[in-house]
Amino acid sequence: MSGTVEAKLAALGITIPAATAPAANYVPTVISGNQLWISGQISVAEGKFLAGKLTGEADIEGGRAAARQCAINIMAQVKAALGDLDRVKRVVKLVAFVNSAPDFTDQPKVVNGASDLLVEAFGDAGRHARSAVGVAALPFNVSVEIEAVVEFV
């Protein structure tokens, strides 16, 4: 039934925004067979960057919110490419980059913000393999950037 995933998101108070255009010379998605490869989506909502380097325990919740926004932006790209989020058969893989101070080591806790939302939206099909990597800087000083691979029908 079409709209099941978006109904779950609506119940969470989430509306999928329009997919954003690339900021440089690349495409936002590539379809290869039955897989959709989604370019890195940054933590931006309604034109406002969720930005800043994560430095300690106090930053984890803000980082989780930034990662959650990346997941929303990933779903926006999926919807733009496939027309319907219900076509997602499986979220296969996330690769997440967290703008981190040298001593910040809680990247997995931050990226759970994205992983948790994808499981809420897609159920077991939202469970995925994942990498959570600390980096020295990200574009526009955003806190998180996440790329994804999704299998679809």
Side-chain angles (χ1 to χ4, degrees), residues 9 16-20 28-29 36-44 66-82 85 88 91-96 111 114-115 117-118 122 128 144-150:
L9 292 169
I16 298 299
T20 58
T29 60
L36 178 66
W37 293 70
I38 301 128
S39 295
Q41 298 299 300
I42 60 174
S43 51
V44 60
R68 183 178 175 94
Q69 186 60 49
C70 290
I72 292 168
N73 296 340
I74 286 167
M75 288 187 278
Q77 294 294 348
V78 170
K79 185 176 177 182
L82 302 180
L85 293 176
V88 172
V91 179
V92 176
K93 171 84 175 177
L94 297 184
V95 179
V111 180
S115 295
L117 179 58
L118 292 170
F122 297 104
H128 49 269
V144 182
E145 178 175 352
I146 302 177
E147 62 183 50
V149 179
V150 172

